[in-house]
Amino acid sequence: MKYLRKDRLPNIFCPGCGNGTILNSFFRGMESEGIDLKEIAMVSGIGCSSRIPGYVKCDSLHTTHGRAISFATGLKVGNPDLNVVVFTGDGDAASIGGNHLIHAARRNINLTVICINNTIYGMTGGQISPTSPEGSIGTTAPYGTRDKPFNLSELVVAAGASYVARWTTIQPLQLSNSIKKALNNPGFSFVEVVSQCPTYFGRKNKLRTPVDMVKSFKENAINKRKADKLIADGKEDELIGKIIVGEFINKKRAEFSDNVCNLSKQQCGEEHATKSAYLSKLEY
Amino acid sequence: MTKELFVQGNEACAHGAIKAGCRFFGGYPITPSTEIAEDLAILLPKHGGSFVQMEDEISAIGAVIGASWSGMKAMTSTSGPGFSLMQENIGYAQITETPLVIVDVQRGSPSTGQPTMAAQGDMMQMRWGSHGDYEPIAISPSSVQEFFDFTVEAFNLSEKYRVPVIIAADEIIGHMREKIIIPHEVEITPRKMPKETPEDFLPFKPTKNHIPEYIPAFGEGYNVHVTGLTHDERGYPDASSPKAHSKLVTRLCDKILKNREKIVATETKFCDDADIIIASYGAPIRSVSAAVSLARDEGLKVGYIKINTPWPFPEKQLEEIAEIANDIVVVEMNLGQMVHEVERIAKDNAKVHFIPKIGGNLHKPEEILSKIKEIKKI
């Protein structure tokens, strides 16, 4: 509670939503890494998960649909001292914002993106998303979707991110540990959290209660190492319907805002300008 | 030290940005604006600034808004197709009162149109392009020197009024080469950090002339929540209260409309005794001024008004013109955009004529002169 804007409570999330568990894991990860909330700035787009930063007592930009990562890019390059965290969802990050997601991963810009993947558009009332499993029902797929979903974590690894992990809301400790690593990683970090939307996904897909939903996560979650072994043994079919969890990559490489700062240091011999809008005189 | 340069308009704009204190550029290549990005890619690192080539124009303006809240003066440049893509985030910058500058070097349109040819077809998009009620500021240069000067002015206006300011340039001014003088010092408007403690500070409470004058940069401990939702003075969403929405959006418009006389800029020539006055802006001013000289040589009482700030529209100044002249001739490179504003203001006080032009060529002074003679029936 000490991290929340008490004057904004109660929040808008439905009973049984995974957002609370995830935010709690975020604060645990942040504390265990010894990071003060003062160092953090949050950015989000549009959707249920994007409403999280508005409840947290830190500077935050609640932006347009899909564009959070591009706003975060300007914020981070403008002031590299900020620890910039993006809260986003599957529709926000992977559909309308898919291009920004892969380009930020390609640049390896030091952002921590927490993508709450509930496989549905919750805010607008239950339309299918780019991560909805094949066959699942949404208001825009009343007969079950035939679209193939994105494997988001694999996509972001392929695009060049330096830290990627996926967990579900039934693994809050592993999740907070990954968030800790993500906050500490000097590069693009992507933490995908498979979360429950009992209101709009569960009700339509025979998982009526939050308990049914998290039970399904428990039954279907399989560790990445085990999954890799199944694939190596040619038993890929056993992974159908499973949620592969764990770390997908943890490999440091050159970071974008550092490169921008170093270039300016090299070209003008001075530190990269920050907060220069407040100066009344500038050297030309 | 004062510097003299012989440069094209786009390069002058880049120098103006640096001089105004811009230290962040986010953009995407597009003809005929690309040289602004290219020149800033060279200049910004030399001044401790950041240049970021983004993946599209949507993210370009997104990054610029983010950089602005980090405490930097920030800008982007584009042309019609990219300007269209920016519209949603321009509305975001409006409702969140984020200072930034957008340069639109206009080209033949709609769609891909004529990438290398000049036009003034985006004037109404600058006014109404994003959804909802808002009041933009747009300034239009008609020479390379003005492209430099107006870029500095654009940054100052964006800081003073906390709005995105659009520089309504065009391909002719962007690519034309002229001598410019860069003064040793220009007047710049610095951003103001709040004086109150974070506990007492309301980030969206107007403090003077409907403007919330103080903007804490992110990371200063003010814990500002910036949202595109309708919000209260704390910045907290309040999206279903008719009263809150009306209060916010009315103030956003009043911030410009009630300060209109401080923002608008026009120049008049030979208007005092004129019975025909030509109204124009941007590149066509060059033909207009030549046409007026030709007309005066023939003893015709013709003058012109040069509109430096198409938005907010200089209503009072055009009212005065309509009082003086019997006829107003609007000259612009489109099939009719700002002419509707002139008609709205002139009412029955003067007859409004229009010389449209599309395709990329500037009006010839003779074309304008023959319209004058047509009106005079000579």
Side-chain angles (χ1 to χ4, degrees), chain B residues 85-100:
Chain B
L85 286 176
M86 290 181 183
Q87 293 305 322
E88 187 192 7
N89 281 343
I90 289 175
Y92 181 88
Q94 280 280 351
I95 202 169
T96 57
E97 304 181 69
T98 306
L100 58 92

Side-chain angles (χ1 to χ4, degrees), chain A residues 220-231:
Chain A
N220 293 317
I222 176 167
N223 194 281
K224 175 123 191 358
R225 278 188 301 273
K226 270 190 203 163
D228 287 345
K229 191 165 183 307
L230 284 173
I231 294 165

